[in-house]
Structure formats: C-alpha cells, structure tokens
Amino acid sequence: MNQYVISQGHCSSLGATIEKGGVNFAVYCPAAAVIELLLFKDVEDTDPTVIQLSSPIYRSVYYWHVFVKGIGAGQVYAWRVREAVGTYKQSKENVEIGKVLVDPYGKRMLFPKNYKRFQGNDEAENLSCAARSVVVDTTEYDWGIECAPKHDLTKTVIYEMHVKGFTAHESSGVDEDIRGTYRGLIEKIPHLVELGVTAVELLPVYQFDKYDALPGKFNYWGYCPMSFFAVHEAYSSDKSIMGPLDEFRDMVKALHRNGIEVILDVVYNHTSEGDANGPCYSFKGFDKRAYYIMNDRGDYYNYSGCGNTLNANNPVVRKLILDSLIFWHEEMHVDGFRFDLASILARDSNGAPLPNAPALLDIDHNVRLADAKIIAEPWDAGGLYQLGNIAGSKWREWNGQFRDDVRSFMRGDAQSIKKFVLRLIGSPDIYNEREIDPQKSINFITCHDGFTLNDLVSYSYKHNIDNGEHGRDGNDANYSANYGVEGDTDDANLLDLRLRQCKNMIALTVLSMGTPMILMGDEILRTQKGNNNAYCQDNELSWMNWNLDERQEEMLQFTKQMIRRRTIRTRVGSNRRLGNYTMLHGALRNTKIQWHGIKPFQADWSDNSHSVGIMIYWGQYSIYAYIFVNAYWEDLTVELPPLPHNAKRQWSMLVDTASKYPEDVVNIFNMPRHCAGDLLKVKARSLVIMVAPAI
C-alpha cells in the first residue's frame, strides 16, 4: 500500500484539482465526523490507500479538503464517510456510513468489471463493485482555431438526436468499432449539413447508469445522471482515461467547423440514486437533505417521476448546477443547454413553487453563460406547468402547446382553428409581453418523448408492451391518427395521405414564428412501431435505419428543401431580386398579416373550421407570401387573394405538399404562376405556399 504526504489543502474549488506538486481534493459533507479519501492503483483495485480525515485542519465548516503530494492526472479515487457528527441535526440519517462514493464534481467515472448498481453494506463488496472517480486534466486539449458558429435563434434549426442511435445501426455505413459513438457521429456530419440544421440537441451525455431500468431492460435515453461533470463513457470508442473527454471534444470541434452548434439535453431535476429503495453511489452518501427534496420522515419527493427530486434551490446544489454548466460551456465548448423538467428548478426545499426561483435566475443571469443558449422544458412530473412563465428573460421554452394544437388541427379536430393560428404566429397568447421576440418559443411537433412523426400519422394509440410495464407507461394524449389502419399498411392511397401529413407537419414547424426543432429520423420517416416511450429500447426500434425506400427518400428531399427555403434568396417574376426572407418569421411589428378563407378576406373562425389562408407582407423585403392550410378531409377550391396595388403581379407556387417529388417544393425557376382571383384546388390534408414580389 502506497504512503502519501498530505497537507491541509483548501475548498476554494470542489472536486479534484491538479496543482503544483499534487492534487487538491475537496468535498461537501457537513454531517461527517470522519471522512476517508480512497486512492486506488487502478479501477479494479480492492485494497486502496485510505487517507482518513478527522482533524479540524482538514475541515472548513461544511467542506472537507486535503492536498496529496506526488499524484496527478489518472489517479483513481473515491470518498467514504466513516463517522457522523453527533450534534448535526439528523446527521446519521443524512449520510451513508461505509459506502464508496464518487465525487459529485468528478469529471470522469470508471466502472470495475463486476460493477453493481446496488451494493450491500459489506465493505469488501463495496470496494469491489462500486464506481470510482478519476483525476483528469481538462486543459490539455488542442482546440485549434476556435470557430463556434454562434447562430442567432432566428436562423437556428435544431435537430434533436441520440448520439448512439444516430449511427448504431449497421446501415449507417460507419465502421463497426465506432458505431454509436461520438466518433461515429462525426462520420455522419455530412447528413446534418445537407439537411440544413444549424444545431444538434443531444440527448443526455452526462454519465448515466444503463441499469436504471426494469430487470432485463437497459436505459437508452440517459435521463438518469450519475454525474453532472463526467461524459458518458459508453458513447466513446476510446475507453482510456481521457478518451471519452477528448472524443467528445473532437465531435464538438468537428460540428463547429461545419457550422453546427451543440446543445446538450441536461438533467438537473433528479439523479439515478432514486428513492429510499434506490442505490447510493454519491449524493445520498454525502448529504441527502442538501441534495434532495425530502419530508420530515425522510421520504423523497418525486416531482421528477424518477424517484427523487434534486433540491435545486439549496445553495450547494445551485452552485453545483452552475459549476457544471460553466464546465461544459467553457471547457467542453458546448453552445447551449436544454433543461429537462426545468420547472423543478423553481421548487423550494419543501417542493413549493418559488415565484422568482434563484436557481433559474442564476442560470439566466450568469455572466459566464451569457452567450449560451438556454432552453427550458417548462413543466415537471408533479404538475407544475410554467409555459410562458419561466423566471428570467433569456430562457427559451419548449412549446408543448405548439405540438398539441398543431397536431389537433391537422388531425381534423373541431374547435382547434383559433389555437392553431396562434401557434403559427409565435403564441402571443402565451408569450404576451409586447416586445418579446418570437424565438421565445421552440416549436416542435415531435421529440424523443412520444411518437415519431411517421408513427404520429400511423397509430391511434401507443404500443408500449415491449417496455415491460403492461402498457401503463407513455403519454395517452398523443393527438395522433392512423387514418384507417393501425400501423403498417400496403394501401397506396393511405401511404400517400400519411406522407402528405408528415410533409405538412415539417412545413408548419419550419414556417411558424419561433425556432423550429426536428426529431432525429423524422426526415426519413423513422418508426418505433407505435412505441411512444422507447426509453429502454436500445435496439433497432430506436436506432436510425439508413436504408431508405422511395417514400423515405421523398420525405428526406422535402425536409431539406423546406429547411433551405426557411431563409432563401430567390427571384420571382421578371428576374426581380427579392432578397432574404423567412416565411412566417420575424417580429410581428415588422409584419402585416391578413387572414383568408376559401374566399379572400373571409376566414372561417367557427368551431368546425378546418382550413385557413394567411397572407404576409414584409416591407423590408418587398415580398408577399400566401399560405393555405387545408386540414379538411376533402379537397377545397380556393380563390387566390389579390396583391395590393399590384394587379399585374402573379402568385408563384413554391410548395404543394400534395404533389410528388420534385414538384412538392418547386425549383425557383419553374414555379407555376397564378393570378389573383384564380381558383386553386388544394387537396385534402395538404398545404400550399405561394410568393410574389410587392414591387
């Protein structure tokens, strides 16, 4: 067993910090009377050197710290609470005595070969089966010339994706040894560039426990963090100490060089430790009541739906969250964050909502995160719904009402027209501040949680039996439809209708005021066979299958063209330059909107209305655009509206979702022309887009 020279150390930085001559270790654990730092020779070592700390010189009120000379990067370590103080309130209930604990600030985790999610109280078993932390030097990486894209949200198109699922399927064409990894994703960046997206939103890449699932299942999504600093090792083809960190940064650098930002889906609402019946590998061992919301009996409040709830407004946890975000932004060069169940960050230590939650405002105002995009999922599993009310001005929000109201209208539901048009123009009923920008709303029809786009128009109800929860899991309110046959079909007419609806959904997501987000695989009609909660399906059901049939190719081309035309430079009429324009985008104060029905200026706002026409004029671009959405189950004949003061000008057909490729998005030089007053047949469940110069 090695002998080490130690000194007092400090707690000015938590975690393991490499300093001149050694490493400083510091951890928060106010209830400990004796705490031990365990230093392992390697990840399989079961007989570590134990540095026992009990003297006040190693303690600064709530924090324990020690400097160990002669060690550095690569040192494997863990903590263990040996005794609790007798005077600290409920001290013995707040810590776990004798457990091997990973560092809450550890930037790399290792797992022994016989790792177990649950360990008993036997000390030898703990040393054999528990995860460990590793000292790493995150400054030794060559970023080269920094080229973070820093796209404005008005020019952002987000692609929500799963790192492993993107390339795990053999059809990806990626070499077998790097499928499902950060390096594998790099190989498929050309697809993202051709698609036209400007940002990827990665499902969780913080180290998570794949065993956090029902017996026989594995957690695939990763919404079960073990650490808020360590990168998930399984997504790296390089398993060396620095391998996962460097490979992740290689991916970020490659995406940046292709003009694509990286947004991380982050989980600061709970951890993988679960409730009282869950494992203990870190936070529970150091201070349960600081890290989690609990009642006086010691029960864990479960506003996350995952067993426990992080006590986000506790000062120690607030600092942990901020330090984690700053680490990923500054040292890993991540461009932004999407916060899973962000409303939990508005709850106090008793679970009650705070009107101006410090945790949310800290993130909103932090100067070191000033240029990072921050996006909230503005609800939680406890029923706190804060769409339009997340504390702080910088926050952007997943707009769940956009998803539900657009789905409802396009399905043909009654009483849906008014909400539908509000979603198209940036949801002013939700974001009612006079000068708020439309990009407050992140618009999406589908995301990881729920049906894929293909399944949305192929299934009337969820099919989750394979998850092992007897179909009880997953959302029942899907606003989906199968249009006559549940699931797969060979009916050509039905397949055409479903494809048309998928095109409609993509077009509406891209056109509407706000920032659009598209789910991985929707551009190629990826299916999960009706499973709307595939969190434990780490298999071909969830993976991207790159073998495309004719319909999938058509959907891919349509999606590319719609994203490309979200902001385009084109010529209409007599080669007149129109400049850059974006369909419904731009602040309302710069846009004039007219509403039409099948007759000009006669919009139908009744509860039984299933169609609407929209004409927009931008003076700064001297352009008109006309969009007619027919969610009715029959064809409609529409009279085209006049162009003000431009009787001789013509409308040019840009998009018709009822047409087959390549006429669905028309080449700008071949756009069919129509005069005001012409009668245009708009096919059932389709939309058309027309443009015209104003001068």
Side-chain angles (χ1 to χ4, degrees):
M1 184 176 295
N2 292 334
Q3 298 295 318
Y4 296 95
V5 176
I6 65 173
S7 58
Q8 181 177 7
H10 60 83
C11 59
S12 60
S13 58
L14 297 179
T17 307
I18 298 174
E19 299 178 354
K20 184 177 181 180
V23 177
N24 186 80
F25 297 88
V27 69
Y28 170 83
C29 190
V34 179
I35 194 168
E36 296 172 338
L37 176 66
L38 311 178
L39 299 179
F40 299 88
K41 293 187 291 293
D42 54 50
V43 66
E44 301 297 338
D45 183 12
T46 59
D47 185 25
T49 298
V50 179
I51 298 176
Q52 190 171 93
L53 308 176
S54 59
S55 169
I57 68 168
Y58 300 109
R59 179 171 185 161
S60 297
V61 190
Y62 310 114
Y63 303 94
W64 292 90
H65 43 79
V66 62
F67 182 81
V68 182
K69 296 182 179 180
I71 63 173
Q75 175 65 57
V76 182
Y77 72 100
W79 291 92
R80 184 169 59 194
V81 178
R82 182 55 72 188
E83 295 179 18
V85 297
T87 57
Y88 188 79
K89 182 183 179 182
Q90 297 177 317
S91 60
K92 291 184 178 180
E93 289 80 13
N94 284 352
V95 296
E96 289 285 343
I97 304 297
K99 290 283 188 180
V100 175
L101 306 173
V102 297
D103 187 346
Y105 276 72
K107 296 181 176 63
R108 177 80 165 89
M109 288 180 66
L110 295 179
F111 299 87
K113 291 179 181 178
N114 59 339
Y115 165 75
K116 293 181 181 178
R117 176 166 164 77
F118 291 89
Q119 297 109 35
N121 293 320
D122 180 76
E123 185 169 298
E125 181 185 21
N126 257 239
L127 290 170
S128 172
C129 302
R132 293 98 155 91
S133 298
V134 190
V135 178
V136 295
D137 184 356
T138 59
T139 64
E140 295 295 319
Y141 181 81
D142 182 10
W143 284 99
I145 299 175
E146 178 55 45
C147 54
K150 298 186 183 298
H151 295 300
D152 188 273
L153 280 167
T154 61
K155 299 178 181 179
T156 295
V157 179
I158 300 171
Y159 187 79
E160 191 201 28
M161 64 180 296
H162 190 284
V163 169
K164 179 176 182 178
F166 196 52
T167 64
H169 198 280
E170 63 180 1
S171 63
S172 67
V174 171
D175 290 344
E176 185 175 3
D177 59 342
I178 63 170
R179 287 178 198 157
T181 67
Y182 306 117
R183 186 171 297 171
L185 192 153
I186 294 173
E187 296 293 311
K188 301 300 287 187
I189 288 177
H191 174 78
L192 301 172
V193 173
E194 292 172 9
L195 190 60
V197 298
T198 66
V200 292
E201 184 174 301
L202 305 180
L203 265 66
V205 297
Y206 293 4
Q207 182 64 59
F208 64 87
D209 189 348
K210 72 174 185 178
Y211 298 105
D212 190 356
L214 293 175
K217 302 292 183 182
F218 297 102
N219 198 301
Y220 169 67
W221 283 353
Y223 291 91
C224 47
M226 299 184 74
S227 169
F228 300 118
F229 293 85
V231 67
H232 190 58
E233 179 186 67
Y235 294 162
S236 176
S237 62
D238 184 348
K239 308 298 184 185
S240 65
I241 295 297
M242 291 302 298
L245 285 89
D246 289 345
E247 192 168 313
F248 177 88
R249 290 185 283 193
D250 289 344
M251 177 195 69
V252 172
K253 183 163 61 174
L255 286 163
H256 282 180
R257 288 178 174 173
N258 284 275
I260 299 173
E261 293 181 295
V262 179
I263 299 171
L264 299 187
D265 195 335
V266 293
V267 184
Y268 294 109
N269 57 76
H270 76 283
T271 76
S272 185
E273 289 187 315
D275 58 17
N277 297 315
C280 170
Y281 58 80
S282 182
F283 309 98
K284 281 182 180 179
F286 291 111
D287 193 332
K288 298 175 186 177
R289 291 184 179 275
Y291 286 109
Y292 299 113
I293 298 177
M294 304 176 69
N295 63 21
D296 292 339
R297 299 188 304 274
D299 301 319
Y300 291 80
Y301 284 106
N302 187 17
Y303 298 113
S304 66
C306 298
N308 62 52
T309 303
L310 210 63
N311 191 7
N313 284 288
N314 177 286
V316 172
V317 182
R318 280 166 55 196
K319 174 176 169 54
L320 175 76
I321 293 172
L322 278 177
D323 288 346
S324 168
L325 293 170
I326 291 168
F327 164 74
W328 286 96
H329 184 50
E330 294 186 347
E331 298 194 42
M332 306 297 274
H333 289 209
V334 165
D335 304 284
F337 306 90
R338 176 266 184 188
F339 291 74
D340 181 63
L341 301 182
S343 289
I344 280 180
L345 277 64
R347 294 186 182 272
D348 66 16
S349 59
N350 296 311
L354 293 166
N356 289 293
L360 292 171
L361 292 179
D362 281 354
I363 297 166
D364 183 81
H365 285 73
N366 190 276
V367 67
R368 295 173 70 178
L369 299 172
D371 61 346
K373 292 177 171 67
I374 55 171
I375 302 168
E377 183 183 38
W379 51 80
D380 66 21
L384 184 57
Y385 194 80
Q386 295 184 307
L387 183 63
N389 291 299
I390 287 287
S393 299
K394 182 183 171 184
W395 284 95
R396 275 31 187 167
E397 299 176 357
W398 267 26
N399 190 341
Q401 286 301 116
F402 181 94
R403 172 198 60 206
D404 296 345
D405 294 337
V406 173
R407 285 184 179 192
S408 179
F409 180 77
M410 296 308 296
R411 186 174 65 170
D413 293 358
Q415 303 179 358
S416 58
I417 181 68
K418 295 176 183 177
K419 288 184 177 180
F420 172 71
V421 298
L422 287 168
R423 300 306 150 244
L424 295 187
I425 61 174
S427 299
D429 57 325
I430 297 172
Y431 306 112
N432 55 12
E433 300 175 38
R434 178 171 296 179
E435 295 297 320
I436 200 164
D437 62 277
Q439 274 60 49
K440 186 76 170 178
S441 176
I442 306 297
N443 297 332
F444 65 102
I445 301 290
T446 57
C447 64
H448 69 278
D449 189 2
F451 281 140
T452 66
L453 185 57
N454 178 81
D455 291 359
L456 179 67
V457 299
S458 303
Y459 295 88
S460 291
Y461 57 92
K462 64 188 182 185
H463 295 257
N464 295 2
I465 296 301
D466 287 347
N467 292 352
E469 299 183 48
H470 306 288
R472 293 189 298 265
D473 63 306
N475 199 338
D476 292 315
N478 295 295
Y479 303 96
S480 65
N482 63 29
Y483 301 102
V485 176
E486 186 73 0
D488 294 338
T489 181
D490 294 326
D491 186 315
N493 290 329
L494 180 52
L495 288 172
D496 284 346
L497 170 58
R498 290 176 175 177
L499 177 58
R500 196 157 67 243
Q501 283 286 54
C502 288
K503 289 181 179 180
N504 293 335
M505 300 293 189
I506 287 291
L508 290 168
T509 303
V510 172
L511 297 177
S512 299
M513 289 183 177
T515 300
M517 184 184 79
I518 297 171
L519 173 64
M520 179 188 88
D522 279 354
E523 75 275 20
I524 59 169
L525 302 177
R526 184 176 70 88
T527 179
Q528 292 176 175
K529 304 298 182 182
N531 191 319
N532 75 346
N533 187 36
Y535 79 98
C536 59
Q537 299 295 331
D538 187 4
N539 50 53
E540 292 188 4
L541 187 72
S542 296
W543 300 344
M544 186 99 147
N545 188 329
W546 296 82
N547 294 321
L548 308 185
D549 61 24
E550 186 176 335
R551 291 177 68 250
Q552 291 174 296
E553 284 285 1
E554 180 170 342
M555 188 66 198
L556 176 58
Q557 294 305 319
F558 178 85
T559 306
K560 289 180 180 179
Q561 294 299 323
M562 285 307 306
I563 293 174
R564 188 172 301 164
R565 280 161 176 75
R566 181 171 178 264
T567 301
I568 67 175
R569 182 175 295 275
T570 186
R571 297 172 186 267
V572 177
S574 56
N575 287 334
R576 186 176 299 278
R577 195 175 188 85
L578 293 182
N580 292 321
Y581 71 90
T582 307
M583 302 299 178
L584 280 177
H585 284 263
L588 284 174
R589 61 181 178 273
N590 294 328
T591 306
K592 296 178 182 178
I593 297 179
Q594 291 178 348
W595 302 102
H596 302 279
I598 58 175
K599 292 284 187 180
F601 309 105
Q602 296 181 32
D604 181 1
W605 301 115
S606 69
D607 288 345
N608 292 318
S609 176
H610 301 287
S611 64
V612 66
I614 312 154
M615 189 166 77
I616 311 104
Y617 168 68
W618 291 277
Q620 67 187 109
Y621 300 134
S622 297
I623 186 174
Y624 289 98
Y626 175 68
I627 304 167
F628 192 88
V629 183
N630 180 15
Y632 195 44
W633 42 89
E634 295 181 5
D635 298 351
L636 294 176
T637 300
V638 178
E639 181 181 336
L640 295 179
L643 287 160
H645 314 296
N646 289 274
K648 295 182 179 180
R649 293 294 179 191
Q650 292 181 309
W651 290 109
S652 297
M653 178 73 75
L654 181 64
V655 175
D656 180 1
T657 60
S659 295
K660 300 295 291 183
Y661 175 80
E663 282 76 30
D664 48 358
V665 186
V666 186
N667 184 292
I668 59 177
F669 299 106
N670 298 321
M671 292 189 287
R673 309 292 168 77
H674 298 271
C675 295
D678 283 358
L679 298 181
L680 181 71
K681 179 180 281 189
V682 181
K683 194 170 179 64
R685 304 188 190 275
S686 70
L687 64 80
V688 298
I689 303 170
M690 312 189 81
V691 293
I695 56 175

